[in-house]
Amino acid sequence: LYLHPYDATLYLWRARVHLELGYADLAASDAYRALLLTDEARDDSGEYHDEATEALADRQAVGKDEVDAELGPEAEQQDGDGAVYALLERCSRRAYTILVQSLTAVGCLASAYDFHKQAVTTCASASDQRHLALLKDQIRGQARLKLGRSDELSDAELDDLRKSDRLSDHGTVRREIYPWNEHEPDRFSERTLTALNAMMRTVAPKCEVRVTELPALKPMATTKQEKARGKGYREGEEEEKEEEEGEEMPTITQLGLFATEDIPGGEVVLREASVLTANNRLHESLCDACSTAFTFPSHDDMSSSQGGGPIPCPSCDDIFFCSPMCLERAQALYHPSVCGKEVETIGKEVSAQESPEALYLLLLARALAMSFTTDTHPLELEAVKYIWGDFSNSLTSTSASTSSAPVSTLPFTYTHNINMPLHVLTKMDINIWTTLELTDTWILNTLYAKFRGTASARLSTRAGDSRPEVCAVHPAWSLANHSCAPNVMWEWGGEMCFVARRNKLGRRMARLRLR
């Protein structure tokens, strides 16, 4: 695919492999890309019409046997342009069926239903129609499970569920370090610790990163008596426990922040700025880089990294920054990739239900802009490389028992994981075909997993609006471990800050883990 990025048949072959490996989400993405390429080849005015058509012609000329093995033999043998068009139609039909099958498998039923309706009008053969009927039964079965219904769903009821937005489009997929991901570091190696502590010296000079053991959160368990009552409890609570005498508490290896010297209460322990931020307010008085609200300080305060502005971008008239420092960081790290592009309205002013997903999408868009601006692979960005992704097969060792079966815990939608990322890239004037090595769906899923594990959010300050409106990723801040009895307070207002708590006696914070 890297060598032949416009070949729809290659995407279909990879989709089949992804399905066989249990990655229905990646198969859906491949099928959608194949479908886009067939649309390009069909449309004489398409931006990539020539490339998509040429790729099909080349495949028809040199790989007909492989194509027939994958897509089935042609009903009628054709030559020249007729053969290319026939291959296009076969690819389109196969893309639809894989897309419907894959989206159904991950739980995106509304999108699967929509593509199924399109496929019915496209796939005219009797065998295709029989296959589509089976796929619709799968959608119907998944819908019954999600609705908790034991009776059958008629076609009319299924259609009514879709029209009334009651057909779920939110699924879950595997949250893991993909076997082919060569960018994920060993978070506990000396090399990683050296890199992290070099970063820490600039944001928290009295702290260092160390490997630490933390209690593992145990799954829900149910005693025989509670099963009879239909009641569950969490192991470790003070109610009934079934832990054997002398059983060791499961632990998990993680990274943590530790003070290297005594720190007085009230002192700022960590101060970290980040441009990996997002807000979903259109034309709001927020800095594009750090998302802090604008104020109007005196001239002497303009060198501050927060609380200033608005300072416009010199090249576009609708993006503003709170300080010269934020403008400089934006120009160096991400803004050139979006400057003057039609990306400002994407994911903005959405409904309360869509607000969290829109913020994660905007974080993804910012990471991609950072990648293309700095010529860095998205997973090699300093802001995301070392952060925790809660991967089910991570390098994090644990003494707790774990299942070897794949677990689907990463939220997934067709809109936010497949369609909108490609839309964002297109608006950034990025060729989505020749940049597959940087924009493949497994890369986006990995970024989403890391954002969901570490991003902080701020609720709207508008009266009566409780939606999250701003979010950010601060890699140093995210290394601190949670505690129900914390020894630091944190606040975010353009910069992320840790402040040492004062205890009752006003003593210094000892050299302990920040939590």
Side-chain angles (χ1 to χ4, degrees):
L1 277 171
Y2 297 158
L3 295 175
H4 306 283
Y6 302 101
D7 191 339
T9 64
L10 293 180
Y11 281 105
L12 294 175
W13 290 338
R14 194 174 70 157
R16 176 176 54 80
V17 174
H18 277 147
L19 276 176
E20 292 174 353
L21 293 174
Y23 297 108
D25 52 327
L26 304 186
S29 176
D30 284 339
Y32 182 67
R33 280 178 173 264
L35 192 60
L36 290 180
L37 284 170
T38 61
D39 289 342
E40 289 286 335
R42 189 179 287 111
D43 182 4
D44 291 343
S45 63
E47 182 177 3
Y48 301 105
H49 168 77
D50 292 343
E51 292 88 345
T53 304
E54 183 179 349
L56 287 173
D58 290 344
R59 181 60 59 185
Q60 180 69 20
V62 301
K64 186 178 184 306
D65 292 341
E66 292 85 351
V67 170
D68 288 347
E70 181 67 27
L71 303 180
E74 295 181 74
E76 297 180 8
Q77 296 295 324
Q78 302 186 53
D79 298 318
D81 292 343
V84 174
Y85 183 80
L87 176 57
L88 182 158
E89 293 301 320
R90 293 158 71 195
C91 287
S92 179
R93 294 195 299 270
R94 176 58 62 88
Y96 270 119
T97 56
I98 293 179
L99 192 52
V100 173
Q101 178 184 353
S102 302
L103 289 174
T104 303
V106 300
C108 298
L109 303 185
S111 294
Y113 183 80
D114 291 343
F115 281 112
H116 183 276
K117 290 190 70 173
Q118 296 177 35
V120 168
T121 62
T122 302
C123 307
S125 71
S127 61
D128 285 338
Q129 290 295 321
R130 286 193 297 270
H131 190 193
L132 287 172
L134 293 175
L135 292 178
K136 189 169 187 178
D137 285 341
Q138 292 179 15
I139 298 173
R140 199 191 322 273
Q142 290 292 330
R144 289 172 54 201
L145 286 175
K146 290 206 173 191
L147 294 171
R149 289 182 53 167
S150 57
D151 57 325
E152 290 295 328
L153 275 173
S154 67
D155 286 350
E157 288 176 304
L158 196 60
D159 191 52
D160 182 63
L161 286 173
R162 181 65 187 103
K163 289 179 179 178
S164 59
D165 287 330
R166 289 181 292 146
L167 194 60
S168 173
D169 209 35
H170 292 265
T172 54
V173 300
R174 291 160 67 170
R175 186 173 188 160
E176 63 182 50
I177 300 174
Y178 296 96
W180 53 86
N181 181 357
E182 299 178 350
H183 301 278
E184 192 67 24
D186 179 352
R187 299 179 75 237
F188 311 126
S189 69
E190 286 299 322
R191 181 176 181 179
T192 294
L193 292 176
T194 298
L196 288 174
N197 282 314
M199 174 183 67
M200 202 58 58
R201 284 191 288 272
T202 65
V203 298
K206 295 184 179 181
C207 300
E208 67 178 10
V209 182
R210 302 178 192 168
V211 179
T212 185
E213 290 290 322
L214 301 174
L217 298 178
K218 296 184 178 181
M220 291 293 289
T222 307
T223 65
K224 294 179 181 178
Q225 295 84 355
E226 286 169 328
K227 284 181 179 179
R229 298 197 301 267
K231 175 184 175 183
Y233 82 106
R234 186 172 295 278
E235 289 184 82
E237 292 184 353
E238 291 183 1
E239 293 180 290
E240 296 183 60
K241 300 180 182 179
E242 292 192 355
E243 293 184 1
E244 297 180 0
E245 224 25 74
E247 180 184 358
E248 293 185 4
M249 176 178 288
T251 60
I252 186 170
T253 304
Q254 269 291 3
L255 298 177
L257 286 184
F258 289 78
T260 56
E261 57 184 270
D262 292 349
I263 301 175
E267 180 175 320
V268 175
V269 182
L270 176 146
R271 187 184 299 275
E272 181 182 16
S274 174
V275 298
L276 187 46
T277 65
N279 75 81
N280 57 19
R281 295 304 193 193
L282 185 62
H283 304 311
E284 195 74 3
S285 300
L286 299 173
C287 175
D288 188 71
C290 69
S291 288
T292 193
F294 292 137
T295 59
F296 299 89
S298 66
H299 178 75
D300 293 338
D301 294 331
M302 289 299 288
S303 61
S304 170
S305 64
Q306 57 179 321
I311 300 174
C313 166
S315 302
C316 56
D317 57 6
D318 56 351
I319 300 298
F320 295 86
F321 303 91
C322 68
S323 68
M325 186 178 297
C326 271
L327 172 59
E328 181 180 349
R329 283 202 294 255
Q331 296 288 25
L333 297 176
Y334 75 87
H335 189 61
S337 291
V338 295
C339 187
K341 311 292 176 61
E342 297 178 1
V343 297
E344 177 62 19
T345 59
I346 297 175
K348 301 297 181 72
E349 300 297 344
V350 297
S351 67
Q353 183 179 5
E354 297 176 3
S355 186
E357 298 301 326
L359 283 174
Y360 286 126
L361 172 67
L362 293 172
L363 276 181
L364 183 74
R366 177 61 59 87
L368 292 171
M370 293 170 68
S371 170
F372 285 103
T373 298
T374 62
D375 194 23
T376 305
H377 191 283
L379 300 182
E380 295 287 346
L381 293 169
E382 185 179 273
V384 300
K385 182 173 183 177
Y386 300 108
I387 62 177
W388 181 66
D390 194 18
F391 300 115
S392 60
N393 65 340
S394 70
L395 300 175
T396 302
S397 61
T398 176
S399 57
S401 60
T402 57
S403 171
S404 59
V407 179
S408 297
T409 60
L410 181 65
F412 184 94
T413 70
Y414 158 75
T415 298
H416 295 98
N417 292 72
I418 298 177
N419 178 266
M420 287 304 295
L422 295 181
H423 178 61
V424 168
L425 290 166
T426 301
K427 289 297 184 181
M428 288 169 57
D429 293 334
I430 301 297
N431 185 321
I432 63 174
W433 311 108
T434 58
T435 60
L436 183 65
E437 194 170 2
L438 301 174
T439 61
D440 214 345
T441 298
W442 70 266
I443 298 171
L444 309 185
N445 283 357
T446 302
L447 289 172
Y448 271 133
K450 293 194 173 194
F451 296 158
R452 289 181 179 275
T454 59
S456 57
R458 188 175 70 215
L459 296 180
S460 172
T461 56
R462 296 179 179 180
D465 189 350
S466 60
R467 289 178 291 183
E469 68 175 5
V470 177
C471 65
V473 173
H474 294 83
W477 170 83
S478 70
L479 293 171
N481 307 131
H482 169 76
S483 174
C484 293
N487 54 17
V488 292
M489 302 176 292
W490 68 275
E491 59 182 31
W492 174 33
E495 292 177 327
M496 182 64 74
C497 293
F498 273 146
V499 180
R501 285 182 178 270
R502 301 178 187 272
N503 61 23
K504 292 181 180 180
L505 300 179
R507 292 196 298 250
R508 293 170 178 264
M509 188 182 76
R511 303 182 188 188
L512 301 173
R513 179 173 70 246
L514 273 65
R515 59 192 192 277

